[in-house]
Amino acid sequence: MRTSNFLLATLKETPADAEIASHRLMLRAGMVRKVAAGIYNWLPMGLRVMRKVEQVVREEMNRAGAQEILMPAVQPAELWQQSGRWEMYGGELLRMQDRHQRDFCFGPTHEEVITSLVSSEIRSYKQLPANFYQIQTKFRDERRPRFGVMRAREFVMKDAYSFHLDQASLQQTYDLMHQTYSRIFSRLGLGFRAVEADTGSIGGSTSHEFHVLADSGEDAIASCDKYHYAANVELAEALAVGGERPAASEQLTTVATPGQRTIAAICDFLDLPVEKTIKTLLVQGAETPAVALVLRGDHELNELKAEKHPAVATPLQWLGEDEVSNAVNCGVGSIGVVGLDVPVIADRSAVNLADFVCGANQDDVHFTGVNWGRDCAEPEVFDLRKVQDGDICARAGSDTSDEARLTIRRGIEVGHIFQLGTKYSDALNATCLDSNGKATLMPMGCYGIGITRIVAAAIEQNNDSRGILWPENMAPFEVVITPVAYHKSAQVKQVCDALYEQLSNSGIEVLLDDRNERPGIMFADADLIGIPHRVVIGEKSLSKGQVEYKFRQADDAEQLTEKELVEKLLSQSSSVHQQACTA
Ligand code: ATP
Ligand code: MG
């Protein structure tokens, strides 16, 4: 491709409303343009990268025996009513009506459509297992579309759905998809982690997310290499810290704490370590007006864990000021467990405390020397807190070495695999005949990859002050040729054109920058776009029989003969392509 024939829409200015590097760089490199909130045009430069991602995903899904199909973006409401999700899905589902006032939605996901399709096309266990995938545009009316295509409303997803005769077969395909995802992200050259995950509203039991590691990631993931544990912090199990509960040694004492309403203020005022305090949080109960969740003062509530307790209303609802004063006779900062007349659920670490400090259910008063079982009932114990960096891994047993501790990193969710069980086959009556001729519901798996999000995530992980640093398999072009004085020197033009032809004919994707621009401008654009290999051709080097070569991530350029350069680029390119065949 020559830049004279290519929409090179690079921007010098940093777009003001782009908060993270990938969003800024995708705009500046001329990859995407915003049409409306969370809705984007993909320009030629961006689409080339998106197609590379699709290609790797397609090759690996095909290799794993999945079959490509294409389902419609617009789906009839009836299917969603059958699964119960027409009511359940909430504001993210974009609903619409046709000219006959019939209800439709723009698909945010395709469990209903595929299950209905498979229930009419697959009859016998002999056709199972079957795994169908598509690469297709989804729409989710996200509450906060942001970070460009990272959290868009319209985006491209690869979604796959597998159907089975039994759980053992589902587990096999699930494991194969786990491996396939690892191959995909490895081939794309991304630093990633597979983590245990919550199943959320899609339903089902077992689930893993694949995260690209990057500081700007919206998710926190906890991992411990020694015990091969990695989980989304939403799910990661938190052990009790601080050891067994000591015996009570202090008397229950009332202390005046005028105006002290936060844990930090109380610790300051009473000169206490925060590990001596608890906090009591009131939320709506499933069957009672209030439930108290108790954590050690320095620990944070994991709301998803709390929602899993049957006594807690889902979704989690904090009590408002009025409801708090109905349940206890004080403000939020003075609640405590002594004399509290609501069900109490305490975190594992909070329950191990003795002689602790808490509010006295009366403004401006606290208790010190509080002990479970003596001053209040023994609470129900439940894992309620968010794990923290340095916590002992839940798989470590009695090992408390440094290697047994969790590390917390930020991640961008680029893939998600689930075992759905028979949730959708049940709702849409997707059965097949087993070997005895008996109709049986097919257990299902589903497997998503955010194609467009991967493009942004790769940039988030690979950039520097000058622009993008594409992993080789995702780069829009492999080589850029930057001439010095292409329009003035017949020799430069001739060498550039010949090299361009030669490399292109060898299957290398080359961008020849034949604009009549200063080299500095062309260098800056090439670095911004992130093309891995740059060749500079000018009369000065040519007079010495040389051209200049620079790898995007290297500090310095090298002088090579044309022959050496071609050999280098060909071997480089063939090793990348070979990787595709053997990965
Ligand atoms: P998130 O928690 O980020 O909203 P999700 O759990 O809703 O993701 P899934 O329903 O599992 O996502 O969708 C499969 C994949 O689609 C995700 O792993 C992600 O890569 C991608 N994806 C989901 N929502 C978006 C979005 N709004 N914009 C871009 N990609 C998305
Ligand atoms: Mg979502």
Side-chain angles (χ1 to χ4, degrees), residues 8 10 25 28-29 31 45 49 459 462-464 466-480 511 522-534 550-553:
L8 198 67
T10 52
L25 290 169
R28 285 194 56 214
M31 295 177 66
M45 188 70 80
V49 180
I459 299 175
N462 300 284
N463 68 78
D464 66 10
R466 286 176 290 141
I468 303 169
L469 300 167
W470 286 115
E472 301 263 354
N473 277 339
M474 288 181 70
F477 295 95
E478 297 170 80
V479 177
V480 55
L511 183 68
M522 295 197 267
F523 292 160
D525 275 348
D527 282 351
L528 173 61
I529 297 162
I531 302 174
H533 307 280
R534 187 183 77 191
K550 185 175 172 298
F551 182 50
R552 172 66 177 84
Q553 303 190 34

Side-chain angles (χ1 to χ4, degrees), residues 92 140 142 151 453:
E92 271 190 28
R140 295 183 181 178
E142 296 275 351
R151 181 167 297 285
R453 183 180 283 181

Side-chain angles (χ1 to χ4, degrees), residues 131 162 164 167-181 195-197 199 205-210 416-420 444-447:
N131 192 358
S162 68
H164 307 270
Q167 171 62 30
S169 162
L170 168 57
Q171 185 66 46
Q172 243 175 23
T173 299
Y174 184 85
D175 293 342
L176 178 60
M177 282 296 105
H178 195 294
Q179 289 162 22
T180 299
Y181 275 36
V195 309
E196 293 174 21
T199 47
S205 47
T206 307
S207 161
H208 286 85
E209 289 166 354
F210 288 76
H416 202 167
I417 60 177
F418 293 88
Q419 294 189 17
L420 293 170
M444 291 170 58
C446 83
Y447 318 96

